[in-house]
Amino acid sequence: MIMNATSNEQQELFCQKLQQCCILFDFMDSVSDLKSKEIKRATLNELVEYVSTNRGVIVESAYSDIVKMISANIFRTLPPSDNPDFDPEEDEPTLEASWPHIQLVYEFFLRFLESPDFQPSIAKRYIDQKFVQQLLELFDSEDPRERDFLKTVLHRIYGKFLGLRAFIRKQINNIFLRFIYETEHFNGVAELLEILGSIINGFALPLKAEHKQFLMKVLIPMHTARGLALFHAQLAYCVVQFLEKDTTLTEPVIRGLLKFWPKTCSQKEVMFLGEIEEILDVIEPTQFKKIEEPLFKQISKCVSSSHFQVAERALYFWNNEYILSLIEENIDKILPIMFASLYKISKEHWNPTIVALVYNVLKTLMEMNGKLFDDLTSSYKAERQREKKKELEREELWKKLEELKLKKALEKQNSAYNMHSILSNTSAE
Amino acid sequence: MAGASELGTGPGAAGGDGDDSLYPIAVLIDELRNEDVQLRLNSIKKLSTIALALGVERTRSELLPFLTDTIYDEDEVLLALAEQLGNFTGLVGGPDFAHCLLPPLENLATVEETVVRDKAVESLRQISQEHTPVALEAYFVPLVKRLASGDWFTSRTSACGLFSVCYPRASNAVKAEIRQQFRSLCSDDTPMVRRAAASKLGEFAKVLELDSVKSGIVPLFTSLASDEQDSVRLLAVEACVSIAQLLSQDDLETLVMPTLRQAAEDKSWRVRYMVADRFSELQKAMGPKITLNDLIPAFQNLLKDCEAEVRAAAAHEVKELGENLPIEDRETIIMNQILPYIKELVSDTNQHVKSALASVIMGLSTILGKENTIEHLLPLFLAQLKDECPEVRLNIISNLDCVNEVIGIRQLSQSLLPAIVELAEDAKWRVRLAIIEYMPLLAGQLGVEFFDEKLNSLCMAWLVDHVYAIREAATNNLMKLVQKFGTEWAQNTIVPKVLVMANDPNYLHRMTTLFCINALSEACGQEITTKQMLPIVLKMAGDQVANVRFNVAKSLQKIGPILDTNALQGEVKPVLQKLGQDEDMDVKYFAQEAISVVAQRLRKLDFPVKDSGEPSVPRADKNHFPRPTVPGEDMGKGPVYQLRGDTRDTLAQLEIAELVHFSQSTD
């Protein structure tokens, strides 16, 4: 026991135990080396206790052995998933077999980072870019317990190692891009986003171009991911954080969301609407004016969705006092956009709850500008007819184009045919 | 506008621009700008029509600039655009103007969405071939350079795929530049770009001069193969195959082998997997000497890798590896160096490994010859036939033909039968389906006697399986068996049993009789069809269940061509006419459809169509049995009826396929 040794020997014993803990065991084989496994577990426990209860034990000479022990245990190529079609929303994750040891190593790592004796200036020799890179790869672990530890560890490292911050951000950036555009698979997206949430919170103003680019080119496209449900809360938080920092980003963000608006997945559509509401909660009236038209065109589509949850989620916007006040301010713009679909649903939607909600919304809108409302009601039919006519004209246009194409093809054929017959006539003569 | 038609060589040039003014570009652009994505998409998909209407000049001067500016759109629209532009050369006036297409494609090659970018690169590659060498250097190469030095990773990624198409036709100075640029992308800061470069490394190596391969590509290969990210390293393994094909044996030994050896022992299983997966390709590229000295030991390690994924990939390569070995040594190599590892894999803990092995192991028998197969492989086959995992057994059975050639299937038949029976009754219908598919093959190899004795009853039992897909497969199976064993066999063994089912209380089984008749009538020929099958079908026209009745109509339509005129006229037609008056609208619909087909056939038999002299009739092909026209199509009702009919069928299938609450029909 380290505790029982004299203070001179303690340091040496500490390092020896650290080295001892670098030995790895095969946990896939649950019966082998039981005794040794138990010894290592006890030793790790002892190490955890040693660094957390004693002051002055993390001396400069120990850093190398500490980081070596941590690296030896946690850095590994993650095994292939047992279930090749692993669906994080449906399936139980495969838990890390060596958890009894790894957990203690993470525990030790955290105590080490959080110790008052910990000195980043010494540690940065060992906890370097390569170390962080390997740490980030572990976020793909299927085991949520491991990802949870990693989240705290990375957060501490980001906080203490200023020199690694840009690097960490860049690597997360790469992981996300790979996730979006290449593999569509990475287990630790939610955890990384959670860390980013607090990172964004600390960004200095004005925002650097790099950060804005991250928002527009990484976070926004991330909304297209299939497994959005797994990390949407964290993602929306990050987006809103950005907007709270810099309101001028509102327009591009909303346009981006509109661009990636889900076409077939109603579940995702509901999430998008939730995020839009979060954004509207913090939007500035001047920014609102810039995007009201495209935004409310989309909302008008959502309101008339045949999926009642989508319609309902969109109609709930009218329960939000702040949004309501924004609508009222801009009723002249918004009412003409919303009117047709609201009017149509009030007559046609299959779901009585939706119809009832729509009646309320119509009533609210009518109270905001009764004159406009009446005008729109009376011009509704004419409007529909105009649309129909336009539709016909479009068909006509394409038909004519097709004819033109055929005619041209025919002309070409004919001229080729004429050539051919002239040639064959000549040869016949 | 004479100038335009003079200039153009593409299809757009032929008609002149006479009436194009009818369609001002503004209208078309309006369409491309429509708020509705679907309409924009439709317009983009008809972009060639628009271009044709505009003529080559206006396409170049107005349409393309507009397209270049509309890059901010839905990815779906962009994808369609990228695809269209690849085939646009003719519409802008031929190869001389191909470079006009570069600006919009360059923009598309920088967007985020991979699918769009890849399509843009594909189109650019296509168009590059249409450039003259001068145009290539004047327009295309500068574009590649711009992409390669773009700020955001997307453009650099796209550039990776364009080097190899412009390199062969570039001048030496430009070639050096291209090589330099490729090199810098291989060590790009962003892993996405390194991956793109690594995946194009092999392709690029192929167009380079041998010296440049050695001095330029090999170092890149080495550095990519030791990249910090395993996703990059594994792509280097892929490139290894192409690079190895270009180098001499000595060069391979010194330049490539050290890296490959390292990859086979990489700490990431993904890299080792890639080595295992590409093993036979690597083997061919590296040649026999290196294979013996280096690759075989590496392969042994892969066969006993700690990750099942790797073992499965390696096991899958066993047969091809054997076939690629030099003929004189291969028996000894496999016997001494590979077989011991294979024996281990037969009892692997992972079923994917066993199943991968089972899918190829039979192939070894041709390589090892009769005696070795009987002594060494047969015990393995037999063990695998008893494996707990159905897929393993299935894979063995599906490859029986390989063994049959070497030792004859009889050696296995004792163990085969229990395995087949067990699979035939497996609880998973996909397993049952798979074994049915092998029945004709097995029947051919085991012979008619064995079949009648042991397997026939299985084949009949599948006909009343509770999953539609099985019944359907069983029906097809019967047809194939009849083709194999002949009509006499069919008449004695199959047909009576099938026909008995026409009286089954379950309407699904009665329908199976009809489906079997549909499948068997052609193989059985006119006599059996007319004498034995037709009466049963006609009798079933009075069935209580509408589904049976409309299937009678369908069956009559199907077997019509096999019957003679008398049967058609005297027996089929009256029944169909009666069904045509049925109270159920689906029955009516299908009966009418059948009537029109039968009537056409009767007409055809009465008045044989002359070979010539009637050119005005479209598609007057006497060998071509006319496609039935859908009655009621004019009224626009045809498809609706059709849908109903199909829906009903599908529902019937679903009902049973689900296995839930399957009840006997009450009729």
Side-chain angles (χ1 to χ4, degrees):
Chain A
M1 295 294 281
I2 307 181
M3 303 297 184
N4 305 336
T6 62
S7 58
N8 287 349
E9 288 165 355
Q10 265 187 357
Q11 204 49 49
E12 200 177 316
L13 202 54
F14 179 48
C15 287
Q16 277 173 1
K17 295 219 175 205
L18 283 170
Q19 280 156 14
Q20 197 187 355
C21 285
C22 288
I23 298 167
L24 302 180
F25 294 97
D26 180 8
F27 275 84
M28 293 318 251
D29 186 349
S30 55
V31 287
S32 70
D33 308 319
L34 281 179
K35 211 167 163 196
S36 315
K37 282 178 187 167
E38 179 51 32
I39 294 174
K40 178 167 171 182
R41 203 188 59 80
T43 314
L44 283 168
N45 263 324
E46 201 188 331
L47 289 172
V48 171
E49 203 184 317
Y50 182 67
V51 295
S52 44
T53 51
N54 293 298
R55 288 296 311 266
V57 294
I58 301 176
V59 294
E60 190 167 346
S61 59
Y63 279 79
S64 155
D65 282 325
I66 290 175
V67 176
K68 224 180 262 166
M69 191 278 279
I70 293 167
S71 308
N73 279 283
I74 64 170
F75 292 155
R76 64 210 190 277
T77 307
L78 295 169
S81 178
D82 278 349
N83 177 356
D85 319 304
F86 177 66
D87 176 357
E89 276 178 272
E90 294 278 335
D91 303 326
E92 282 294 312
T94 314
L95 297 178
E96 175 57 46
S98 55
W99 191 243
H101 285 174
I102 290 201
Q103 178 185 15
L104 293 169
V105 175
Y106 277 116
E107 193 92 49
F108 174 79
F109 193 7
L110 269 181
R111 300 288 167 88
F112 167 64
L113 287 170
E114 286 167 356
S115 162
D117 296 335
F118 177 76
Q119 290 184 22
S121 53
I122 303 170
K124 74 177 182 197
R125 272 179 254 157
Y126 308 102
I127 297 181
D128 53 4
Q129 294 195 347
K130 187 154 186 268
F131 185 95
V132 169
Q133 173 72 46
Q134 288 172 287
L135 196 70
L136 283 167
E137 274 165 27
L138 290 175
F139 274 83
D140 195 20
S141 166
E142 224 173 271
D143 193 330
R145 301 169 301 182
E146 176 166 24
R147 295 202 305 269
D148 209 48
F149 264 113
L150 285 164
K151 186 176 73 188
T152 323
V153 165
L154 186 66
H155 188 264
R156 300 289 179 276
I157 292 180
Y158 191 87
K160 291 183 194 283
F161 296 82
L162 302 187
L164 286 172
R165 287 185 175 183
F167 180 79
I168 292 174
R169 288 198 308 269
K170 201 173 82 187
Q171 293 309 317
I172 293 180
N173 199 323
N174 287 340
I175 288 174
F176 283 173
L177 287 170
R178 181 166 182 221
F179 168 73
I180 305 167
Y181 295 116
E182 290 181 9
T183 58
E184 273 204 75
H185 177 91
F186 192 84
N187 289 315
V189 173
E191 285 80 3
L192 290 176
L193 281 169
E194 214 177 313
I195 300 171
L196 277 167
S198 66
I199 292 179
I200 297 164
N201 213 329
F203 280 162
L205 289 173
L207 288 176
K208 284 192 206 163
E210 173 212 330
H211 301 326
K212 290 187 191 170
Q213 191 182 47
F214 176 72
L215 170 67
M216 293 315 299
K217 297 213 165 186
V218 182
L219 289 184
I220 297 296
M222 222 153 155
H223 287 81
T224 58
R226 207 171 6 170
L228 179 66
L230 291 166
F231 54 83
H232 180 254
Q234 291 85 345
L235 181 59
Y237 178 79
C238 287
V239 171
V240 174
Q241 288 293 304
F242 264 112
L243 299 186
E244 291 208 45
K245 287 261 161 195
D246 182 351
T247 52
T248 60
L249 291 168
T250 313
E251 189 189 350
V253 162
I254 290 187
R255 285 193 187 275
L257 289 177
L258 292 176
K259 180 178 166 187
F260 294 128
W261 202 272
K263 302 230 167 21
T264 53
C265 181
S266 313
Q267 191 207 2
K268 268 168 92 170
E269 219 172 338
V270 173
M271 289 186 254
F272 270 58
L273 285 165
E275 186 168 348
I276 291 287
E277 184 164 1
E278 281 182 54
I279 293 173
L280 290 178
D281 268 332
V282 299
I283 202 168
E284 280 186 1
T286 46
Q287 296 297 325
F288 182 80
K289 281 197 197 327
K290 289 188 192 162
I291 45 82
E292 57 184 356
E293 201 187 321
L295 178 62
F296 275 82
K297 275 183 183 158
Q298 182 58 55
I299 292 175
S300 138
K301 276 186 214 154
C302 293
V303 161
S304 40
S305 166
S306 56
H307 195 293
F308 83 96
Q309 285 173 330
V310 175
E312 191 179 52
R313 187 67 192 85
L315 289 165
Y316 279 164
F317 282 15
W318 273 262
N319 294 345
N320 183 315
E321 290 295 329
Y322 183 60
I323 297 180
L324 218 52
S325 73
L326 290 168
I327 294 177
E328 183 154 20
E329 258 170 61
N330 301 282
I331 188 72
D332 298 352
K333 278 273 170 48
I334 291 171
L335 189 50
I337 299 172
M338 293 298 300
F339 184 80
S341 38
L342 288 173
Y343 189 81
K344 213 171 123 205
I345 315 161
S346 70
K347 302 254 182 280
E348 292 175 2
H349 204 279
W350 63 272
N351 186 302
T353 323
I354 297 299
V355 176
L357 280 170
V358 163
Y359 271 118
N360 284 334
V361 169
L362 280 171
K363 201 166 139 261
T364 324
L365 293 172
M366 191 165 73
E367 281 160 9
M368 287 176 182
N369 188 341
K371 166 108 184 22
L372 181 59
F373 193 91
D374 291 343
D375 289 350
L376 287 167
T377 319
S378 53
S379 63
Y380 178 77
K381 260 208 175 127
E383 197 67 26
R384 290 293 80 76
Q385 263 160 2
R386 227 185 60 206
E387 267 172 33
K388 267 198 188 133
K389 201 172 150 238
K390 230 174 134 186
E391 186 58 39
L392 277 178
E393 280 172 7
R394 165 171 306 113
E395 271 173 36
E396 198 59 25
L397 171 78
W398 282 111
K399 228 158 93 190
K400 278 187 186 163
L401 272 178
E402 281 303 325
E403 279 165 16
L404 189 70
K405 191 174 151 189
L406 277 179
K407 214 174 89 195
K408 285 196 172 177
L410 213 66
E411 274 171 20
K412 201 184 162 204
Q413 213 176 25
N414 280 346
S415 63
Y417 176 77
N418 286 339
M419 277 300 255
H420 182 73
S421 57
I422 291 166
L423 281 178
S424 54
N425 282 345
T426 351
S427 63
E429 278 166 22
Chain B
M1 281 284 151
S5 36
E6 237 173 44
L7 273 176
T9 48
D17 294 353
D19 41 5
D20 291 358
S21 50
L22 275 174
Y23 309 101
I25 184 138
V27 181
L28 299 169
I29 285 179
D30 229 32
E31 281 292 286
L32 291 173
R33 260 196 202 131
N34 196 297
E35 227 168 75
D36 187 339
V37 189
Q38 195 52 49
L39 289 178
R40 286 206 301 278
L41 197 58
N42 289 346
S43 322
I44 285 282
K45 285 187 174 155
K46 289 181 185 158
L47 205 58
S48 59
T49 311
I50 298 179
L52 205 53
L54 286 173
V56 295
E57 256 179 30
R58 296 186 67 195
T59 298
R60 288 200 302 266
S61 62
E62 295 174 51
L63 185 61
L64 285 177
F66 167 74
L67 293 174
T68 313
D69 293 335
T70 40
I71 291 312
Y72 190 86
D73 200 337
E74 301 263 345
D75 290 328
E76 211 180 341
V77 176
L78 298 183
L79 174 68
L81 178 59
E83 187 170 7
Q84 292 276 317
L85 290 176
N87 300 311
F88 238 58
T89 309
L91 296 163
V92 293
D96 288 345
F97 296 95
H99 61 87
C100 299
L101 299 168
L102 298 182
L105 283 171
E106 180 175 351
N107 285 351
L108 289 168
T110 61
V111 302
E112 261 82 42
E113 179 51 54
T114 325
V115 189
V116 177
R117 243 186 304 134
D118 287 350
K119 189 54 88 180
V121 169
E122 195 185 313
S123 289
L124 278 170
R125 287 167 69 113
Q126 212 170 320
I127 289 174
S128 74
Q129 302 306 323
E130 285 154 353
H131 280 67
T132 59
V134 179
L136 196 76
E137 283 201 15
Y139 302 103
F140 200 86
V141 174
L143 168 140
V144 178
K145 283 191 205 160
R146 279 193 301 277
L147 288 175
S149 50
D151 276 341
W152 189 241
F153 80 95
T154 51
S155 69
R156 302 201 297 279
T157 315
S158 295
C160 293
L162 297 173
F163 292 116
S164 66
V165 290
C166 48
Y167 190 85
R169 291 196 290 153
S171 66
N172 282 339
V174 174
K175 277 183 175 175
E177 268 182 89
I178 294 176
R179 287 197 304 268
Q180 171 54 37
Q181 260 175 331
F182 189 80
R183 188 166 345 156
S184 66
L185 291 182
C186 282
S187 53
D188 197 278
D189 200 27
T190 320
M192 270 78 67
V193 179
R194 293 203 302 278
R195 276 195 287 276
S199 69
K200 300 291 176 197
L201 185 66
E203 177 191 293
F204 189 53
K206 281 186 188 161
V207 299
L208 253 58
E209 300 77 12
L210 186 59
D211 278 348
S212 307
V213 172
K214 278 200 249 178
S215 64
I217 294 290
V218 170
L220 294 177
F221 166 66
T222 316
S223 87
L224 288 169
S226 50
D227 195 276
E228 58 180 21
Q229 303 235 337
D230 59 1
S231 52
V232 179
R233 296 202 297 277
L234 65 87
L235 290 168
V237 174
E238 274 194 303
C240 185
V241 176
S242 312
I243 296 171
Q245 285 164 351
L246 306 169
L247 298 173
S248 70
Q249 280 289 316
D250 289 345
D251 288 337
L252 283 177
E253 189 75 64
T254 52
L255 298 176
V256 178
M257 230 14 244
T259 310
L260 185 58
R261 232 173 265 142
Q262 180 192 316
E265 289 165 6
D266 197 283
K267 67 178 192 310
S268 163
W269 62 270
R270 288 186 187 86
V271 180
R272 299 197 305 273
Y273 169 88
M274 194 52 108
V275 177
D277 193 52
R278 298 296 146 99
F279 207 86
S280 52
E281 285 170 61
L282 286 167
Q283 177 196 6
K284 267 188 259 176
M286 296 306 239
K289 194 166 144 250
I290 296 182
T291 300
L292 286 188
N293 296 340
D294 265 301
L295 294 183
I296 296 285
F299 192 68
Q300 292 171 337
N301 286 334
L302 294 169
L303 284 174
K304 59 178 172 108
D305 196 277
C306 60
E307 286 300 345
E309 232 87 347
V310 180
R311 291 199 301 278
H316 213 270
E317 294 286 291
V318 160
K319 177 185 161 212
E320 227 175 303
L321 172 111
E323 285 171 350
N324 292 339
L325 289 170
I327 293 179
E328 58 280 11
D329 308 322
R330 63 187 187 189
E331 192 186 318
T332 14
I333 298 174
I334 295 177
M335 289 303 296
N336 299 333
Q337 303 193 51
I338 305 289
L339 200 63
Y341 294 90
I342 291 181
K343 282 183 181 160
E344 294 286 309
L345 292 183
V346 169
S347 50
D348 199 278
T349 48
N350 184 294
Q351 68 171 53
H352 298 294
V353 177
K354 288 189 291 188
S355 150
L357 181 66
S359 68
V360 294
I361 188 173
M362 311 290 269
L364 289 178
S365 47
T366 26
I367 303 172
L368 293 182
K370 191 170 176 181
E371 274 169 34
N372 281 328
T373 301
I374 293 177
E375 195 185 333
H376 297 283
L377 291 178
L378 197 57
L380 303 182
F381 299 159
L382 295 176
Q384 290 192 301
L385 273 176
K386 294 193 191 85
D387 198 279
E388 57 187 7
C389 165
E391 211 177 310
V392 176
R393 282 175 267 148
L394 209 53
N395 281 345
I396 289 291
I397 290 174
S398 61
N399 287 298
L400 279 174
D401 47 338
C402 317
V403 187
N404 198 20
E405 290 158 18
V406 183
I407 57 170
I409 208 163
R410 294 273 165 187
Q411 294 269 8
L412 277 172
S413 54
Q414 283 308 318
S415 318
L416 208 47
L417 197 65
I420 293 174
V421 173
E422 210 177 307
L423 289 169
E425 289 160 359
D426 197 280
K428 293 198 189 76
W429 67 269
R430 284 178 200 282
V431 174
R432 299 202 296 277
L433 185 64
I435 187 75
I436 295 176
E437 316 250 292
Y438 296 119
M439 269 299 151
L441 182 78
L442 285 170
Q445 290 175 356
L446 293 166
V448 68
E449 264 169 51
F450 187 92
F451 183 86
D452 278 346
E453 195 182 322
K454 317 267 185 182
L455 299 178
N456 194 16
S457 56
L458 284 179
C459 290
M460 299 320 282
W462 282 320
L463 286 176
V464 292
D465 198 283
H466 49 256
V467 175
Y468 176 79
I470 299 296
R471 298 200 298 275
E472 190 188 30
T475 311
N476 288 330
N477 174 41
L478 287 187
M479 180 181 71
K480 288 181 193 149
L481 289 174
V482 172
Q483 284 166 354
K484 206 151 242 160
F485 291 151
T487 48
E488 201 181 318
W489 177 81
Q491 200 173 4
N492 294 331
T493 23
I494 301 285
V495 175
K497 288 183 189 165
V498 166
L499 295 182
V500 164
M501 281 164 56
N503 300 319
D504 198 283
N506 186 334
Y507 84 101
L508 294 168
H509 296 172
R510 298 203 294 279
M511 292 211 300
T512 306
T513 299
L514 291 171
F515 297 148
C516 284
I517 288 173
N518 294 348
L520 291 177
S521 58
E522 204 182 330
C524 285
Q526 194 181 50
E527 204 190 325
I528 298 178
T529 308
T530 315
K531 288 202 176 130
Q532 298 191 7
M533 295 177 178
L534 184 61
I536 302 288
V537 179
L538 294 174
K539 205 181 100 196
M540 290 169 83
D543 202 284
Q544 280 164 297
V545 179
N547 292 46
V548 177
R549 292 201 302 279
F550 75 64
N551 273 298
V552 165
K554 281 175 159 182
S555 287
L556 288 174
Q557 180 183 335
K558 176 95 176 95
I559 64 174
I562 299 154
L563 302 171
D564 62 20
T565 333
N566 289 339
L568 277 179
Q569 189 73 42
E571 300 180 69
V572 174
K573 219 172 150 189
V575 171
L576 281 176
Q577 269 158 353
K578 185 161 164 276
L579 288 174
Q581 306 299 318
D582 201 280
E583 58 189 19
D584 185 280
M585 69 169 172
D586 291 328
V587 178
K588 229 191 276 185
Y589 169 76
F590 285 109
Q592 276 161 4
E593 186 176 279
I595 288 171
S596 76
V597 174
V598 168
Q600 271 190 27
R601 181 168 152 77
L602 283 172
R603 229 176 299 138
K604 219 175 174 184
L605 291 172
D606 289 349
F607 315 101
V609 180
K610 286 180 202 161
D611 276 353
S612 58
E614 279 181 277
S616 59
V617 180
R619 278 187 273 160
D621 180 358
K622 80 179 170 91
N623 295 321
H624 183 254
F625 196 70
R627 234 184 80 94
T629 46
V630 183
E633 205 171 40
D634 305 346
M635 301 176 292
K637 276 187 178 170
V640 181
Y641 277 80
Q642 187 102 39
L643 187 66
R644 266 188 52 98
D646 285 344
T647 320
R648 196 184 276 206
D649 265 356
T650 322
L651 285 179
Q653 292 163 22
L654 281 178
E655 194 181 301
I656 345 148
E658 293 284 61
L659 257 176
V660 189
H661 305 307
F662 171 61
S663 58
Q664 294 282 314
S665 67
T666 49
D667 49 284

